[in-house]
Amino acid sequence: MEFNIALVKGDGIGPEIVDSAVRVLEKVGEKFGHKFNFTPYLAGGAAIDEYGIPLPEETITGCKNSDSVLLGAVGGPKWDTLPGEIRPEKALLGLRAALGLFTNLRPAKIYPALKGACTLRPDIVENGFDLVIVRELTGGIYFGERGRREGIYGEEAYDTEAYSVMEVERIAHVAYKTAQKRRGNVVSIDKANVLESSRLWREIVHKVGEQYPGVTCTDMLVDNAAMQLVRDPSRFDVIVTSNMFGDILSDEASQITGSIGLLASASLGDGKCGLYEPIHGSAPDIAGQNKANPIATILSAAMMLRYSFELGAEADAIENAVNKVLEDGLRTADILVGDDKALTCTEMTDEIISRL
Ligand code: NAD
């Protein structure tokens, strides 16, 4: 098969880690008989330097016309003092909106070889965990009505959480379908004891669930969920939640794996075209030094194969190669323990490719 992939390398370590993922995809293409065509586009600081804006029209059109987008990371101290509208991070929101991406999928799992990096107690880590957070990405309080007004205590500010039936239905479908490909268990997280929007959320999630008899769905209040994630993360398979709760809980879930350089994410819409990116930023402190861990971006490319291209076996091959590298004790500097030698970004990529 043949696929067109837009590459948005971005800033800082972005170009290094995206180049690594491209090399892995090329090897997968060679092994499984697929052709991946890569076209680079500018976004973030790199686009500001070239065009004066973070997300040029050419990038939007190029990404829309591709089968999927692989993104490194954007931002860095060079652009930190620019006004909000032309900050590099604006490119991410703009791309998600332009591509109609309303779901963010973030897997968080503990690799047996990296149990030592986990920040939880050893008896909790012993059970392992492997969960996915399905976060609604384009609704809720981040996009609701907001403003300042005169209240009874003087000036006040307000933000509004609102969800439509349609928005909850479509994210619920994603969660159930994700669970069908995994262990068949959804936990829907809300604050239905207080919020009306959560009560609608709960009602609709269960209604949609009737179409997925093989998947179980339970509800959990967000405060309890925040506790359960550090108490016993092994109880979760698929978590579905709103934009703001998902934002907070997905960072908590990544943190407990202990290794930001390993975590991938996918943003998906109605079509097959998704945006795939590591969850970490552009790491300006190590940019250009060949020290970055490329694994999160390589695993993001694996997610692209699985979710946008329906190439499950090829995605498995990448994930197995990453597992083997870690089991063999190979580490980049960010996940190094003790006095072992750290691999460079290029060396880690070579090792993964040799295990494909
Ligand atoms: P960061 O994730 O870039 O870095 C945090 C720490 O983790 C740093 O010490 C960094 O060296 C390390 N790190 C991150 N990724 C790594 C990797 N692959 N391998 C090895 N070490 C890694 O977060 P930050 O320092 O808060 O942000 C830096 C810049 O990135 C900022 O401009 C921020 O706005 C931007 N950012 C972008 C995105 C994105 O593009 N999606 C996400 C978060 C932050």
Side-chain angles (χ1 to χ4, degrees):
M1 292 172 81
E2 186 168 346
F3 300 95
N4 296 317
I5 301 175
L7 298 179
V8 180
K9 298 184 183 183
D11 310 312
I13 59 171
E16 303 162 49
I17 53 180
V18 170
D19 287 346
S20 291
V22 165
R23 288 179 53 214
V24 170
L25 284 172
E26 275 170 344
K27 184 70 185 181
V28 168
E30 199 183 299
K31 269 189 75 90
F32 289 84
H34 306 301
K35 189 163 187 289
F36 299 115
N37 306 313
F38 300 101
T39 314
Y41 294 98
L42 292 181
I48 294 172
D49 287 351
E50 186 75 21
Y51 301 104
I53 48 168
L55 186 61
E57 204 49 50
E58 186 189 319
T59 300
I60 297 177
T61 314
C63 290
K64 272 185 171 171
N65 291 336
S66 68
D67 293 314
S68 263
V69 183
L70 184 64
L71 187 139
V74 296
K78 184 177 172 191
W79 306 281
D80 273 352
T81 51
L82 290 173
E85 272 314 297
I86 51 162
R87 290 280 293 267
E89 293 76 9
K90 270 272 158 193
L92 296 177
L93 294 178
L95 256 187
R96 283 177 191 156
L99 297 173
L101 307 174
F102 60 84
T103 305
N104 186 241
L105 284 189
R106 252 203 210 187
K109 73 174 194 176
I110 190 86
Y111 286 88
L114 287 178
K115 282 185 173 169
C118 179
T119 46
L120 300 178
R121 261 191 354 241
D123 59 310
I124 299 174
V125 182
E126 212 30 59
N127 297 332
F129 61 88
D130 178 355
L131 60 92
V132 178
I133 298 192
V134 178
R135 167 189 167 195
E136 201 288 325
L137 206 54
T138 52
I141 198 163
Y142 292 176
F143 292 87
E145 192 194 327
R146 73 196 58 195
R148 301 272 176 119
R149 64 189 169 199
E150 242 353 85
I152 45 172
Y153 301 112
E155 188 188 358
E156 64 180 24
Y158 64 96
D159 301 275
T160 319
E161 171 90 350
Y163 268 110
S164 66
V165 170
M166 181 279 287
E167 286 172 307
V168 184
E169 277 174 352
R170 65 183 185 182
I171 195 79
H173 280 293
V174 177
Y176 286 114
K177 286 188 177 130
T178 308
Q180 279 179 326
K181 291 186 191 154
R182 294 173 48 94
R183 302 192 298 277
N185 178 354
V186 171
V187 176
S188 171
I189 291 173
D190 61 38
K191 188 71 182 166
N193 53 344
V194 180
L195 302 176
E196 191 56 32
S197 54
S198 282
R199 288 192 271 272
L200 176 87
W201 177 281
R202 203 174 261 212
E203 188 187 314
I204 303 300
V205 165
H206 285 285
K207 211 179 230 169
V208 171
E210 289 165 11
Q211 297 173 44
Y212 299 88
V215 179
T216 61
C217 177
T218 49
D219 302 301
M220 192 180 281
L221 295 174
V222 63
D223 37 357
N224 184 23
M227 281 196 296
Q228 298 303 331
L229 268 175
V230 287
R231 197 168 158 258
D232 181 15
S234 69
R235 64 179 294 163
F236 295 105
D237 176 17
V238 175
I239 287 174
V240 63
T241 192
S242 63
N243 201 344
M244 182 165 68
F245 295 159
D247 188 8
I248 299 165
L249 294 177
S250 58
D251 266 18
E252 185 187 3
S254 352
Q255 171 54 36
I256 57 175
T257 68
S259 41
I260 193 174
L262 296 183
L263 298 173
S265 81
S267 300
L268 305 169
D270 276 330
K272 286 276 172 219
C273 178
L275 174 72
Y276 296 83
E277 58 180 321
I279 69 150
H280 59 71
S282 59
D285 51 337
I286 55 165
Q289 298 171 34
N290 201 14
K291 282 185 185 165
N293 186 346
I295 292 180
T297 317
I298 290 169
L299 291 176
S300 302
M303 286 186 86
M304 176 188 289
L305 300 184
R306 188 181 305 284
Y307 291 103
S308 285
F309 302 165
E310 308 269 341
L311 299 178
E314 290 80 345
D316 286 347
I318 296 180
E319 288 167 5
N320 290 337
V322 167
N323 266 330
K324 276 190 220 144
V325 156
L326 296 174
E327 273 164 19
D328 291 345
L330 302 171
R331 305 278 186 269
T332 43
D334 56 311
I335 47 174
L336 198 64
V337 192
D339 300 329
D340 288 349
K341 181 184 165 292
L343 265 58
T344 63
C345 180
T346 322
E347 286 167 345
M348 179 54 99
T349 310
D350 292 340
E351 295 291 349
I352 291 169
I353 289 172
S354 73
R355 285 164 178 75
L356 270 169

